[in-house]
PDB file of all heavy atoms in Angstrom:
ATOM      1  N   GLY A 134       4.314   8.748 -11.789  1.00 98.00           N
ATOM      2  CA  GLY A 134       3.817   9.555 -12.884  1.00 98.00           C
ATOM      3  C   GLY A 134       3.072  10.778 -12.394  1.00 98.00           C
ATOM      4  O   GLY A 134       2.571  10.805 -11.260  1.00 98.00           O
ATOM      5  N   TRP A 135       3.036  11.781 -13.239  1.00 98.00           N
ATOM      6  CA  TRP A 135       2.188  12.957 -13.030  1.00 98.00           C
ATOM      7  C   TRP A 135       1.158  12.995 -14.159  1.00 98.00           C
ATOM      8  O   TRP A 135       1.513  12.837 -15.332  1.00 98.00           O
ATOM      9  CB  TRP A 135       2.995  14.237 -13.033  1.00 98.00           C
ATOM     10  CG  TRP A 135       3.808  14.475 -11.797  1.00 98.00           C
ATOM     11  CD1 TRP A 135       5.136  14.194 -11.617  1.00 98.00           C
ATOM     12  CD2 TRP A 135       3.365  15.053 -10.573  1.00 98.00           C
ATOM     13  NE1 TRP A 135       5.533  14.556 -10.360  1.00 98.00           N
ATOM     14  CE2 TRP A 135       4.462  15.086  -9.700  1.00 98.00           C
ATOM     15  CE3 TRP A 135       2.131  15.555 -10.127  1.00 98.00           C
ATOM     16  CZ2 TRP A 135       4.372  15.599  -8.403  1.00 98.00           C
ATOM     17  CZ3 TRP A 135       2.047  16.060  -8.837  1.00 98.00           C
ATOM     18  CH2 TRP A 135       3.147  16.078  -7.986  1.00 98.00           C
ATOM     19  N   PHE A 136      -0.072  13.216 -13.774  1.00 98.00           N
ATOM     20  CA  PHE A 136      -1.169  13.370 -14.708  1.00 98.00           C
ATOM     21  C   PHE A 136      -1.901  14.661 -14.353  1.00 98.00           C
ATOM     22  O   PHE A 136      -1.736  15.199 -13.261  1.00 98.00           O
ATOM     23  CB  PHE A 136      -2.132  12.181 -14.628  1.00 98.00           C
ATOM     24  CG  PHE A 136      -1.549  10.896 -15.144  1.00 98.00           C
ATOM     25  CD1 PHE A 136      -0.658  10.162 -14.373  1.00 98.00           C
ATOM     26  CD2 PHE A 136      -1.889  10.410 -16.396  1.00 98.00           C
ATOM     27  CE1 PHE A 136      -0.108   8.973 -14.842  1.00 98.00           C
ATOM     28  CE2 PHE A 136      -1.346   9.225 -16.876  1.00 98.00           C
ATOM     29  CZ  PHE A 136      -0.452   8.525 -16.097  1.00 98.00           C
ATOM     30  N   ARG A 137      -2.718  15.141 -15.268  1.00 98.00           N
ATOM     31  CA  ARG A 137      -3.515  16.320 -14.980  1.00 98.00           C
ATOM     32  C   ARG A 137      -4.887  16.183 -15.622  1.00 98.00           C
ATOM     33  O   ARG A 137      -5.063  15.456 -16.602  1.00 98.00           O
ATOM     34  CB  ARG A 137      -2.815  17.583 -15.470  1.00 98.00           C
ATOM     35  CG  ARG A 137      -2.684  17.697 -16.984  1.00 98.00           C
ATOM     36  CD  ARG A 137      -1.826  18.907 -17.336  1.00 98.00           C
ATOM     37  NE  ARG A 137      -1.698  19.079 -18.782  1.00 98.00           N
ATOM     38  CZ  ARG A 137      -0.902  19.976 -19.353  1.00 98.00           C
ATOM     39  NH1 ARG A 137      -0.164  20.798 -18.597  1.00 98.00           N
ATOM     40  NH2 ARG A 137      -0.859  20.073 -20.669  1.00 98.00           N
ATOM     41  N   GLN A 138      -5.820  16.885 -15.021  1.00 98.00           N
ATOM     42  CA  GLN A 138      -7.180  16.868 -15.530  1.00 98.00           C
ATOM     43  C   GLN A 138      -7.750  18.266 -15.459  1.00 98.00           C
ATOM     44  O   GLN A 138      -7.930  18.818 -14.376  1.00 98.00           O
ATOM     45  CB  GLN A 138      -8.049  15.893 -14.745  1.00 98.00           C
ATOM     46  CG  GLN A 138      -9.416  15.692 -15.352  1.00 98.00           C
ATOM     47  CD  GLN A 138     -10.139  14.495 -14.768  1.00 98.00           C
ATOM     48  OE1 GLN A 138      -9.781  13.965 -13.715  1.00 98.00           O
ATOM     49  NE2 GLN A 138     -11.161  14.032 -15.455  1.00 98.00           N
ATOM     50  N   ALA A 139      -8.005  18.824 -16.623  1.00 97.00           N
ATOM     51  CA  ALA A 139      -8.640  20.134 -16.700  1.00 97.00           C
ATOM     52  C   ALA A 139     -10.152  19.966 -16.614  1.00 97.00           C
ATOM     53  O   ALA A 139     -10.693  18.887 -16.900  1.00 97.00           O
ATOM     54  CB  ALA A 139      -8.244  20.820 -18.005  1.00 97.00           C
ATOM     55  N   LEU A 140     -10.818  21.031 -16.257  1.00 96.00           N
ATOM     56  CA  LEU A 140     -12.267  20.996 -16.096  1.00 96.00           C
ATOM     57  C   LEU A 140     -12.939  20.557 -17.392  1.00 96.00           C
ATOM     58  O   LEU A 140     -12.691  21.125 -18.455  1.00 96.00           O
ATOM     59  CB  LEU A 140     -12.760  22.373 -15.670  1.00 96.00           C
ATOM     60  CG  LEU A 140     -14.155  22.454 -15.083  1.00 96.00           C
ATOM     61  CD1 LEU A 140     -14.226  21.628 -13.792  1.00 96.00           C
ATOM     62  CD2 LEU A 140     -14.543  23.908 -14.814  1.00 96.00           C
ATOM     63  N   GLY A 141     -13.739  19.521 -17.300  1.00 96.00           N
ATOM     64  CA  GLY A 141     -14.482  19.044 -18.451  1.00 96.00           C
ATOM     65  C   GLY A 141     -13.688  18.186 -19.422  1.00 96.00           C
ATOM     66  O   GLY A 141     -14.190  17.820 -20.481  1.00 96.00           O
ATOM     67  N   LYS A 142     -12.452  17.871 -19.058  1.00 97.00           N
ATOM     68  CA  LYS A 142     -11.611  17.072 -19.933  1.00 97.00           C
ATOM     69  C   LYS A 142     -11.171  15.786 -19.241  1.00 97.00           C
ATOM     70  O   LYS A 142     -11.263  15.647 -18.028  1.00 97.00           O
ATOM     71  CB  LYS A 142     -10.387  17.882 -20.379  1.00 97.00           C
ATOM     72  CG  LYS A 142     -10.721  19.099 -21.229  1.00 97.00           C
ATOM     73  CD  LYS A 142      -9.464  19.739 -21.781  1.00 97.00           C
ATOM     74  CE  LYS A 142      -9.801  20.903 -22.690  1.00 97.00           C
ATOM     75  NZ  LYS A 142      -8.575  21.544 -23.246  1.00 97.00           N
ATOM     76  N   GLU A 143     -10.656  14.862 -20.039  1.00 96.00           N
ATOM     77  CA  GLU A 143     -10.167  13.611 -19.495  1.00 96.00           C
ATOM     78  C   GLU A 143      -8.794  13.806 -18.854  1.00 96.00           C
ATOM     79  O   GLU A 143      -8.054  14.727 -19.196  1.00 96.00           O
ATOM     80  CB  GLU A 143     -10.082  12.562 -20.606  1.00 96.00           C
ATOM     81  CG  GLU A 143     -11.424  12.133 -21.145  1.00 96.00           C
ATOM     82  CD  GLU A 143     -11.303  10.977 -22.137  1.00 96.00           C
ATOM     83  OE1 GLU A 143     -10.176  10.585 -22.448  1.00 96.00           O
ATOM     84  OE2 GLU A 143     -12.353  10.479 -22.563  1.00 96.00           O
ATOM     85  N   ARG A 144      -8.478  12.902 -17.958  1.00 97.00           N
ATOM     86  CA  ARG A 144      -7.159  12.927 -17.334  1.00 97.00           C
ATOM     87  C   ARG A 144      -6.102  12.622 -18.385  1.00 97.00           C
ATOM     88  O   ARG A 144      -6.264  11.691 -19.192  1.00 97.00           O
ATOM     89  CB  ARG A 144      -7.098  11.902 -16.202  1.00 97.00           C
ATOM     90  CG  ARG A 144      -5.887  12.024 -15.319  1.00 97.00           C
ATOM     91  CD  ARG A 144      -6.048  11.185 -14.057  1.00 97.00           C
ATOM     92  NE  ARG A 144      -7.163  11.656 -13.232  1.00 97.00           N
ATOM     93  CZ  ARG A 144      -7.406  11.227 -12.008  1.00 97.00           C
ATOM     94  NH1 ARG A 144      -6.603  10.321 -11.444  1.00 97.00           N
ATOM     95  NH2 ARG A 144      -8.434  11.682 -11.333  1.00 97.00           N
ATOM     96  N   GLU A 145      -5.030  13.382 -18.378  1.00 97.00           N
ATOM     97  CA  GLU A 145      -3.997  13.186 -19.387  1.00 97.00           C
ATOM     98  C   GLU A 145      -2.615  13.053 -18.752  1.00 97.00           C
ATOM     99  O   GLU A 145      -2.339  13.622 -17.686  1.00 97.00           O
ATOM    100  CB  GLU A 145      -3.980  14.338 -20.402  1.00 97.00           C
ATOM    101  CG  GLU A 145      -3.578  15.681 -19.849  1.00 97.00           C
ATOM    102  CD  GLU A 145      -3.410  16.729 -20.940  1.00 97.00           C
ATOM    103  OE1 GLU A 145      -3.572  16.417 -22.125  1.00 97.00           O
ATOM    104  OE2 GLU A 145      -3.097  17.886 -20.584  1.00 97.00           O
ATOM    105  N   PHE A 146      -1.784  12.316 -19.419  1.00 98.00           N
ATOM    106  CA  PHE A 146      -0.419  12.077 -18.986  1.00 98.00           C
ATOM    107  C   PHE A 146       0.408  13.353 -19.103  1.00 98.00           C
ATOM    108  O   PHE A 146       0.273  14.103 -20.073  1.00 98.00           O
ATOM    109  CB  PHE A 146       0.191  10.979 -19.855  1.00 98.00           C
ATOM    110  CG  PHE A 146       1.670  10.800 -19.683  1.00 98.00           C
ATOM    111  CD1 PHE A 146       2.177  10.209 -18.537  1.00 98.00           C
ATOM    112  CD2 PHE A 146       2.547  11.213 -20.665  1.00 98.00           C
ATOM    113  CE1 PHE A 146       3.545  10.043 -18.371  1.00 98.00           C
ATOM    114  CE2 PHE A 146       3.921  11.053 -20.518  1.00 98.00           C
ATOM    115  CZ  PHE A 146       4.417  10.464 -19.371  1.00 98.00           C
ATOM    116  N   VAL A 147       1.270  13.575 -18.096  1.00 98.00           N
ATOM    117  CA  VAL A 147       2.174  14.716 -18.118  1.00 98.00           C
ATOM    118  C   VAL A 147       3.633  14.245 -18.168  1.00 98.00           C
ATOM    119  O   VAL A 147       4.386  14.629 -19.054  1.00 98.00           O
ATOM    120  CB  VAL A 147       1.963  15.613 -16.882  1.00 98.00           C
ATOM    121  CG1 VAL A 147       2.990  16.739 -16.851  1.00 98.00           C
ATOM    122  CG2 VAL A 147       0.546  16.173 -16.863  1.00 98.00           C
ATOM    123  N   ALA A 148       4.017  13.421 -17.186  1.00 98.00           N
ATOM    124  CA  ALA A 148       5.415  12.976 -17.111  1.00 98.00           C
ATOM    125  C   ALA A 148       5.490  11.723 -16.249  1.00 98.00           C
ATOM    126  O   ALA A 148       4.613  11.477 -15.417  1.00 98.00           O
ATOM    127  CB  ALA A 148       6.304  14.066 -16.520  1.00 98.00           C
ATOM    128  N   ALA A 149       6.544  10.937 -16.453  1.00 98.00           N
ATOM    129  CA  ALA A 149       6.743   9.743 -15.646  1.00 98.00           C
ATOM    130  C   ALA A 149       8.226   9.447 -15.523  1.00 98.00           C
ATOM    131  O   ALA A 149       9.031   9.825 -16.383  1.00 98.00           O
ATOM    132  CB  ALA A 149       6.016   8.545 -16.256  1.00 98.00           C
ATOM    133  N   ILE A 150       8.561   8.739 -14.435  1.00 97.00           N
ATOM    134  CA  ILE A 150       9.954   8.415 -14.154  1.00 97.00           C
ATOM    135  C   ILE A 150      10.026   7.018 -13.563  1.00 97.00           C
ATOM    136  O   ILE A 150       9.198   6.636 -12.736  1.00 97.00           O
ATOM    137  CB  ILE A 150      10.559   9.476 -13.199  1.00 97.00           C
ATOM    138  CG1 ILE A 150      12.056   9.277 -13.008  1.00 97.00           C
ATOM    139  CG2 ILE A 150       9.819   9.501 -11.868  1.00 97.00           C
ATOM    140  CD1 ILE A 150      12.717  10.469 -12.309  1.00 97.00           C
ATOM    141  N   SER A 151      10.988   6.242 -13.997  1.00 95.00           N
ATOM    142  CA  SER A 151      11.140   4.891 -13.478  1.00 95.00           C
ATOM    143  C   SER A 151      11.746   4.921 -12.079  1.00 95.00           C
ATOM    144  O   SER A 151      12.269   5.937 -11.636  1.00 95.00           O
ATOM    145  CB  SER A 151      12.031   4.059 -14.405  1.00 95.00           C
ATOM    146  OG  SER A 151      13.346   4.594 -14.435  1.00 95.00           O
ATOM    147  N   TRP A 152      11.697   3.773 -11.406  1.00 91.00           N
ATOM    148  CA  TRP A 152      12.211   3.724 -10.046  1.00 91.00           C
ATOM    149  C   TRP A 152      13.703   4.031  -9.989  1.00 91.00           C
ATOM    150  O   TRP A 152      14.186   4.627  -9.027  1.00 91.00           O
ATOM    151  CB  TRP A 152      11.928   2.354  -9.423  1.00 91.00           C
ATOM    152  CG  TRP A 152      12.720   1.231 -10.045  1.00 91.00           C
ATOM    153  CD1 TRP A 152      12.335   0.442 -11.092  1.00 91.00           C
ATOM    154  CD2 TRP A 152      14.021   0.784  -9.662  1.00 91.00           C
ATOM    155  NE1 TRP A 152      13.320  -0.461 -11.388  1.00 91.00           N
ATOM    156  CE2 TRP A 152      14.366  -0.284 -10.517  1.00 91.00           C
ATOM    157  CE3 TRP A 152      14.931   1.169  -8.678  1.00 91.00           C
ATOM    158  CZ2 TRP A 152      15.569  -0.958 -10.417  1.00 91.00           C
ATOM    159  CZ3 TRP A 152      16.133   0.498  -8.575  1.00 91.00           C
ATOM    160  CH2 TRP A 152      16.445  -0.550  -9.447  1.00 91.00           C
ATOM    161  N   SER A 153      14.417   3.666 -11.044  1.00 91.00           N
ATOM    162  CA  SER A 153      15.867   3.861 -11.070  1.00 91.00           C
ATOM    163  C   SER A 153      16.291   5.181 -11.707  1.00 91.00           C
ATOM    164  O   SER A 153      17.471   5.493 -11.764  1.00 91.00           O
ATOM    165  CB  SER A 153      16.521   2.723 -11.853  1.00 91.00           C
ATOM    166  OG  SER A 153      16.087   2.779 -13.203  1.00 91.00           O
ATOM    167  N   VAL A 154      15.309   5.956 -12.185  1.00 91.00           N
ATOM    168  CA  VAL A 154      15.545   7.232 -12.877  1.00 91.00           C
ATOM    169  C   VAL A 154      16.181   7.010 -14.242  1.00 91.00           C
ATOM    170  O   VAL A 154      16.638   7.958 -14.896  1.00 91.00           O
ATOM    171  CB  VAL A 154      16.400   8.201 -12.011  1.00 91.00           C
ATOM    172  CG1 VAL A 154      16.303   9.619 -12.551  1.00 91.00           C
ATOM    173  CG2 VAL A 154      15.927   8.198 -10.575  1.00 91.00           C
ATOM    174  N   SER A 155      16.241   5.779 -14.700  1.00 92.00           N
ATOM    175  CA  SER A 155      16.862   5.502 -16.000  1.00 92.00           C
ATOM    176  C   SER A 155      15.928   5.815 -17.162  1.00 92.00           C
ATOM    177  O   SER A 155      16.375   5.975 -18.296  1.00 92.00           O
ATOM    178  CB  SER A 155      17.299   4.042 -16.061  1.00 92.00           C
ATOM    179  OG  SER A 155      16.177   3.188 -15.929  1.00 92.00           O
ATOM    180  N   MET A 156      14.644   5.876 -16.860  1.00 96.00           N
ATOM    181  CA  MET A 156      13.667   6.176 -17.916  1.00 96.00           C
ATOM    182  C   MET A 156      12.788   7.328 -17.475  1.00 96.00           C
ATOM    183  O   MET A 156      12.216   7.302 -16.380  1.00 96.00           O
ATOM    184  CB  MET A 156      12.826   4.942 -18.222  1.00 96.00           C
ATOM    185  CG  MET A 156      13.596   3.846 -18.930  1.00 96.00           C
ATOM    186  SD  MET A 156      12.596   2.411 -19.315  1.00 96.00           S
ATOM    187  CE  MET A 156      12.498   1.657 -17.697  1.00 96.00           C
ATOM    188  N   ILE A 157      12.688   8.326 -18.331  1.00 97.00           N
ATOM    189  CA  ILE A 157      11.862   9.501 -18.090  1.00 97.00           C
ATOM    190  C   ILE A 157      11.090   9.801 -19.361  1.00 97.00           C
ATOM    191  O   ILE A 157      11.644   9.749 -20.464  1.00 97.00           O
ATOM    192  CB  ILE A 157      12.725  10.706 -17.669  1.00 97.00           C
ATOM    193  CG1 ILE A 157      13.343  10.458 -16.287  1.00 97.00           C
ATOM    194  CG2 ILE A 157      11.893  11.978 -17.651  1.00 97.00           C
ATOM    195  CD1 ILE A 157      14.271  11.566 -15.823  1.00 97.00           C
ATOM    196  N   TYR A 158       9.815  10.110 -19.181  1.00 98.00           N
ATOM    197  CA  TYR A 158       8.944  10.385 -20.316  1.00 98.00           C
ATOM    198  C   TYR A 158       8.159  11.664 -20.057  1.00 98.00           C
ATOM    199  O   TYR A 158       7.792  11.955 -18.919  1.00 98.00           O
ATOM    200  CB  TYR A 158       7.965   9.234 -20.533  1.00 98.00           C
ATOM    201  CG  TYR A 158       8.623   7.903 -20.764  1.00 98.00           C
ATOM    202  CD1 TYR A 158       8.855   7.034 -19.699  1.00 98.00           C
ATOM    203  CD2 TYR A 158       9.009   7.505 -22.036  1.00 98.00           C
ATOM    204  CE1 TYR A 158       9.467   5.811 -19.904  1.00 98.00           C
ATOM    205  CE2 TYR A 158       9.617   6.276 -22.250  1.00 98.00           C
ATOM    206  CZ  TYR A 158       9.841   5.435 -21.181  1.00 98.00           C
ATOM    207  OH  TYR A 158      10.443   4.225 -21.394  1.00 98.00           O
ATOM    208  N   TYR A 159       7.871  12.380 -21.145  1.00 98.00           N
ATOM    209  CA  TYR A 159       7.079  13.600 -21.066  1.00 98.00           C
ATOM    210  C   TYR A 159       6.032  13.614 -22.171  1.00 98.00           C
ATOM    211  O   TYR A 159       6.271  13.125 -23.278  1.00 98.00           O
ATOM    212  CB  TYR A 159       7.951  14.851 -21.223  1.00 98.00           C
ATOM    213  CG  TYR A 159       8.957  15.054 -20.111  1.00 98.00           C
ATOM    214  CD1 TYR A 159      10.284  14.691 -20.272  1.00 98.00           C
ATOM    215  CD2 TYR A 159       8.562  15.622 -18.897  1.00 98.00           C
ATOM    216  CE1 TYR A 159      11.202  14.872 -19.259  1.00 98.00           C
ATOM    217  CE2 TYR A 159       9.481  15.802 -17.871  1.00 98.00           C
ATOM    218  CZ  TYR A 159      10.796  15.425 -18.070  1.00 98.00           C
ATOM    219  OH  TYR A 159      11.703  15.602 -17.054  1.00 98.00           O
ATOM    220  N   ALA A 160       4.910  14.225 -21.880  1.00 98.00           N
ATOM    221  CA  ALA A 160       3.957  14.539 -22.931  1.00 98.00           C
ATOM    222  C   ALA A 160       4.555  15.620 -23.819  1.00 98.00           C
ATOM    223  O   ALA A 160       5.308  16.480 -23.352  1.00 98.00           O
ATOM    224  CB  ALA A 160       2.650  15.025 -22.316  1.00 98.00           C
ATOM    225  N   ASP A 161       4.213  15.582 -25.086  1.00 98.00           N
ATOM    226  CA  ASP A 161       4.757  16.566 -26.028  1.00 98.00           C
ATOM    227  C   ASP A 161       4.419  17.988 -25.606  1.00 98.00           C
ATOM    228  O   ASP A 161       5.209  18.913 -25.811  1.00 98.00           O
ATOM    229  CB  ASP A 161       4.217  16.302 -27.436  1.00 98.00           C
ATOM    230  CG  ASP A 161       4.827  15.060 -28.070  1.00 98.00           C
ATOM    231  OD1 ASP A 161       5.875  14.590 -27.568  1.00 98.00           O
ATOM    232  OD2 ASP A 161       4.247  14.568 -29.049  1.00 98.00           O
ATOM    233  N   SER A 162       3.261  18.158 -24.991  1.00 98.00           N
ATOM    234  CA  SER A 162       2.791  19.493 -24.631  1.00 98.00           C
ATOM    235  C   SER A 162       3.627  20.136 -23.524  1.00 98.00           C
ATOM    236  O   SER A 162       3.569  21.358 -23.341  1.00 98.00           O
ATOM    237  CB  SER A 162       1.329  19.438 -24.196  1.00 98.00           C
ATOM    238  OG  SER A 162       1.174  18.552 -23.102  1.00 98.00           O
ATOM    239  N   VAL A 163       4.398  19.346 -22.774  1.00 98.00           N
ATOM    240  CA  VAL A 163       5.176  19.911 -21.671  1.00 98.00           C
ATOM    241  C   VAL A 163       6.678  19.728 -21.869  1.00 98.00           C
ATOM    242  O   VAL A 163       7.473  20.243 -21.068  1.00 98.00           O
ATOM    243  CB  VAL A 163       4.763  19.298 -20.317  1.00 98.00           C
ATOM    244  CG1 VAL A 163       3.265  19.439 -20.112  1.00 98.00           C
ATOM    245  CG2 VAL A 163       5.195  17.842 -20.201  1.00 98.00           C
ATOM    246  N   LYS A 164       7.070  19.012 -22.894  1.00 98.00           N
ATOM    247  CA  LYS A 164       8.487  18.729 -23.124  1.00 98.00           C
ATOM    248  C   LYS A 164       9.269  20.039 -23.265  1.00 98.00           C
ATOM    249  O   LYS A 164       8.855  20.948 -23.979  1.00 98.00           O
ATOM    250  CB  LYS A 164       8.619  17.870 -24.381  1.00 98.00           C
ATOM    251  CG  LYS A 164       9.878  17.028 -24.446  1.00 98.00           C
ATOM    252  CD  LYS A 164       9.799  16.048 -25.610  1.00 98.00           C
ATOM    253  CE  LYS A 164       8.749  14.985 -25.368  1.00 98.00           C
ATOM    254  NZ  LYS A 164       8.740  13.971 -26.457  1.00 98.00           N
ATOM    255  N   GLY A 165      10.375  20.122 -22.552  1.00 98.00           N
ATOM    256  CA  GLY A 165      11.192  21.331 -22.587  1.00 98.00           C
ATOM    257  C   GLY A 165      10.785  22.367 -21.565  1.00 98.00           C
ATOM    258  O   GLY A 165      11.525  23.336 -21.336  1.00 98.00           O
ATOM    259  N   ARG A 166       9.622  22.207 -20.948  1.00 98.00           N
ATOM    260  CA  ARG A 166       9.152  23.165 -19.938  1.00 98.00           C
ATOM    261  C   ARG A 166       9.064  22.531 -18.548  1.00 98.00           C
ATOM    262  O   ARG A 166       9.284  23.193 -17.539  1.00 98.00           O
ATOM    263  CB  ARG A 166       7.787  23.713 -20.327  1.00 98.00           C
ATOM    264  CG  ARG A 166       7.761  24.438 -21.648  1.00 98.00           C
ATOM    265  CD  ARG A 166       6.426  25.140 -21.872  1.00 98.00           C
ATOM    266  NE  ARG A 166       5.312  24.190 -21.936  1.00 98.00           N
ATOM    267  CZ  ARG A 166       4.248  24.232 -21.122  1.00 98.00           C
ATOM    268  NH1 ARG A 166       4.155  25.155 -20.172  1.00 98.00           N
ATOM    269  NH2 ARG A 166       3.267  23.339 -21.262  1.00 98.00           N
TER     270      ARG A 166
END
Side-chain angles (χ1 to χ4, degrees):
W135 285 97
F136 291 78
R137 67 187 181 187
Q138 188 166 16
L140 197 62
K142 296 188 177 180
E143 292 186 356
R144 191 168 296 190
E145 66 173 358
F146 170 73
V147 175
I150 187 168
S151 64
W152 69 269
S153 64
V154 196
S155 62
M156 290 181 284
I157 292 177
Y158 302 93
Y159 295 100
D161 288 343
S162 58
V163 306
K164 204 171 292 184
R166 300 189 297 122

